[in-house]
């Protein structure tokens, strides 16, 4: 690396007046920017390189070609599932071989783990898309009919066409049952999650163990429990309320477990700051912990709702089945969308099967609507207020300012005018 010679300093020559001029600023000469010592390469900080893409594509092409050769020429194998499994196994082996040419052992294992995880995510996405598309496609004959959403099945028989009957009774039953279940599970689940985090001890550990065990509780057991206690022991009839209680038994451990994890993630310095201001524990929970974990608590409620809205056996045991609209959840049998789907698809008639898939599509749309509403209500960031809350906060600030001014005016003593004093001059 050669350096340019330093420029010689300029000499100040006096002008005709004999005063030397002011010194000038001298800039060093510009040198060519060098990349560094010879043979040194700049290290790329990108997560993927061109060789990684080539290794991935090359391993995929080689795996497909080799599997096609094995299935078509060399071995008596056939079947789409076997072809996919063998091709994927060969792809992983070839990809590890190609990566090993440039990387070490830990990097090879990391690349293979990344490929496996992305493959599993892709499989789940494809399966979800297939279920949604297949349900909509099979229910395409029933969904365009308006009566499908505005009528029940009271006057429709198994041989009637799609122009008669609908699933209004199932929609009303699902909405009422899931609403009653949420009324029970949301305050109970959040209160239990707060108790597990804020009041540690042996009893809290026992409750957490019971909640974790109830997470894997079969749905038929929850239905039998409510049937035995509410219907047989207490003498209540089969109704939407009994079905809501059975759904609440299924939803409650999911909400408690998810809310417990979310509240545990709230930073401890927020609690300490609240305690330093002299706030009590429960006021800290109400004004600090719960608003901070609002988004996560909404997710826990969504998970519990997703568990309860698709259950069939608890509703069948506790609410029965009916083809009529029953808007009273306190008495009489009541049907839900999953149960109506189960009953429809059992029929050999094509129109009834189309009604079943249309009912399943309606259930997916209803669940999506509930999730959107839940995200709108509780999906705000911590500390973010709605317009109504902001307006109320401004009004409260104004009232506080007026109250402070009135107290200040009351505490300030009034100034009395002094009497005029007259001075007399002495003679």
């Amino acid at each position: 690396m050669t350096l340019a010679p330093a420029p010689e300093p300029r000499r100040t020559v006096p002008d005709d007046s004999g005063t030397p001029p002011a010194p000038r600023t001298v800039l060093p000469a510009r040198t060519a920017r060098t990349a560094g010592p010879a043979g040194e390469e700049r290290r790329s900080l990108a997560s993927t390189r061109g060789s990684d893409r080539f290794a991935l594509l090359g391993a995929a092409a080689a795996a497909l070609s080799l599997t096609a050769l094995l299935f078509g020429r060399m071995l008596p194998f056939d079947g789409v599932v076997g072809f996919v499994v063998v091709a994927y196994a060969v792809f992983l082996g070839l990809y590890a071989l190609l990566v090993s040419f440039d990387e070490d052992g830990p990097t090879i294992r990391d690349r293979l783990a990344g490929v496996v995880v992305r493959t599993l995510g892709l499989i789940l996405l494809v399966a979800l898309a297939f279920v949604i598309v297949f349900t909509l496609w099979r229910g395409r004959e029933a969904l365009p009919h308006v009566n499908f959403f505005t009528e029940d099945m009271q006057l429709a028989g198994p041989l009637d066409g799609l122009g008669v009957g609908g699933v209004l009774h199932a929609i009303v039953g699902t909405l009422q049952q899931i609403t009653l279940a949420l009324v029970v599970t949301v305050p109970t689940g959040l209160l239990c999650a707060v108790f597990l985090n804020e009041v540690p001890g042996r009893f809290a550990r026992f409750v957490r163990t019971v909640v974790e065990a109830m997470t894997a509780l079969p749905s038929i057991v929850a239905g039998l429990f409510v049937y035995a206690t509410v219907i047989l022991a207490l003498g209540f009839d089969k109704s939407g309320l009994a079905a809501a209680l059975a759904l609440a038994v299924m939803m409650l451990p999911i909400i408690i477990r998810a809310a417990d994890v979310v509240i545990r993630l709230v930073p401890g310095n927020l609690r300490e700051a609240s305690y330093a201001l002299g706030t009590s524990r429960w006021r800290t929970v109400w004004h600090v912990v719960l608003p901070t974990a609002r988004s996560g608590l909404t997710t826990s409620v969504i998970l519990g709702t997703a568990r309860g809205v698709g259950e069939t056996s608890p509703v069948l045991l506790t609410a029965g089945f009916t083809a009529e609209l029953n808007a009273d959840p306190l008495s009489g049998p009541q049907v839900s969308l999953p149960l109506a789907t189960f009953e429809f698809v059992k029929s050999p008639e094509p129109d009834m099967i189309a009604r079943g898939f249309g009912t399943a599509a309606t259930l997916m749309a209803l669940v999506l609507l509930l999730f959107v509403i839940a995200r709108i209500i509780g999906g705000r960031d911590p500390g973010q207020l709605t317009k109504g809350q902001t307006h109320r906060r401004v009004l409260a600030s104004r009232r506080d300012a007026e109250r402070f001014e009135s107290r200040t005016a009351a505490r300030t003593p009034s100034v009395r005018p002094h009497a005029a004093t007259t001075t007399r001059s002495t003679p």
Side-chain angles (χ1 to χ4, degrees):
M1 180 175 179
T2 59
L3 299 178
E8 297 181 357
R10 294 176 178 267
R11 298 181 177 178
T12 56
V13 180
D15 54 5
D16 298 338
S17 62
T19 303
R24 300 179 181 178
T25 303
V26 180
L27 298 177
R30 295 185 178 180
T31 58
R33 180 178 298 176
T34 57
E40 182 181 356
E41 297 181 358
R42 297 176 62 89
R43 183 177 179 85
S44 177
L45 300 178
S47 59
T48 58
R49 296 174 295 179
S51 60
D52 300 334
R53 300 187 184 95
F54 290 142
L56 190 65
L57 295 177
L64 291 176
S65 302
L66 183 58
T67 307
L69 181 62
L70 291 176
F71 273 66
R73 299 293 181 180
M74 301 178 63
L75 299 176
F77 294 157
D78 57 358
V80 178
V81 178
F83 183 88
V84 173
V85 172
V86 173
Y88 186 71
V90 175
F91 163 73
L92 291 179
L94 294 176
Y95 181 69
L97 179 62
L98 294 177
V99 173
S100 65
F101 293 154
D102 299 327
E103 305 293 346
D104 53 358
T107 306
I108 296 174
R109 291 191 292 270
D110 180 72
R111 298 289 174 80
L112 288 178
V115 169
V116 172
V117 170
R118 288 177 175 84
T119 303
L120 294 177
L122 181 62
I123 291 174
L124 293 178
L125 181 61
V126 171
L128 178 62
F130 175 77
V131 170
I132 295 176
V133 173
F134 181 77
T135 303
L136 294 176
W137 178 256
R138 292 295 302 271
R140 69 187 186 280
E141 298 178 358
L143 292 175
H145 295 273
V146 180
N147 60 279
F148 184 74
F149 304 98
T150 58
E151 298 180 3
D152 54 15
M153 294 296 294
Q154 181 179 4
L155 302 178
L159 300 180
D160 292 331
L162 297 175
V164 181
V167 293
L168 178 62
H169 59 307
I171 295 175
V172 173
T174 298
L175 290 176
Q176 290 183 351
Q177 293 170 14
I178 202 66
T179 301
L180 292 175
L182 288 175
V183 168
V184 175
T185 56
V186 170
T188 307
L190 297 184
L191 183 61
C192 183
V194 170
F195 167 76
L196 294 178
N197 283 272
E198 300 296 331
V199 189
R202 294 183 178 179
F203 186 67
R205 290 194 295 269
F206 173 75
V207 172
R208 182 176 283 109
T209 303
V210 173
V211 168
E212 292 178 355
M214 289 182 60
T215 304
L217 183 70
S219 59
I220 189 68
V221 176
L224 289 174
F225 171 73
V226 175
Y227 180 79
T229 56
V230 177
I231 297 178
L232 296 182
L234 299 180
F236 288 92
D237 296 332
K238 289 185 177 181
S239 60
L241 178 60
L245 294 177
L247 295 179
V249 174
M250 298 299 303
M251 296 165 54
L252 190 59
I254 304 296
I255 295 178
I256 294 175
R257 190 74 180 93
D260 179 24
V261 174
V262 171
I263 295 176
R264 199 180 304 173
L265 295 177
V266 175
N269 54 4
L270 296 179
R271 294 184 175 90
E272 294 173 359
S274 179
Y275 295 152
L277 295 176
T279 309
S280 62
R281 173 183 295 178
W282 300 113
R283 193 173 182 84
T284 300
V285 170
W286 182 257
H287 292 281
V288 177
V289 177
L290 294 181
T292 304
R294 181 191 298 116
S295 180
L297 296 178
T298 304
T299 303
S300 66
V301 174
I302 289 175
L303 293 176
T305 305
R307 175 67 186 275
V309 77
E311 294 295 340
T312 303
S313 55
V315 180
L316 182 60
L317 286 173
T318 55
F321 183 82
T322 179
E324 301 178 3
L325 174 62
N326 180 17
D328 185 9
L330 302 180
S331 63
Q334 193 177 62
V335 71
S336 63
L337 286 173
L339 184 57
T341 302
F342 175 73
E343 295 292 335
F344 286 151
V345 296
K346 289 195 307 182
S347 175
E349 297 297 328
D351 291 339
M352 295 296 289
I353 295 176
R355 286 191 181 98
F357 281 97
T359 306
T362 305
L363 177 61
M364 290 190 300
L366 180 61
V367 171
L368 179 61
L369 179 62
L370 293 177
F371 287 177
V372 171
I373 294 175
R375 280 300 178 189
I376 292 175
I377 294 175
R380 300 188 306 273
D381 296 332
Q384 183 180 0
L385 304 178
T386 61
K387 293 183 179 179
Q389 292 175 342
T390 305
H391 180 67
R392 289 192 295 270
R393 188 66 60 84
V394 171
L395 295 180
S397 299
R398 291 178 180 175
R399 289 194 297 268
D400 292 340
E402 293 176 356
R403 186 171 66 254
F404 293 156
E405 291 179 358
S406 61
R407 289 183 179 179
T408 304
R411 292 178 180 178
T412 303
S414 57
V415 180
R416 299 179 179 178
H418 295 282
T421 57
T422 57
T423 58
R424 297 180 180 180
S425 57
T426 54

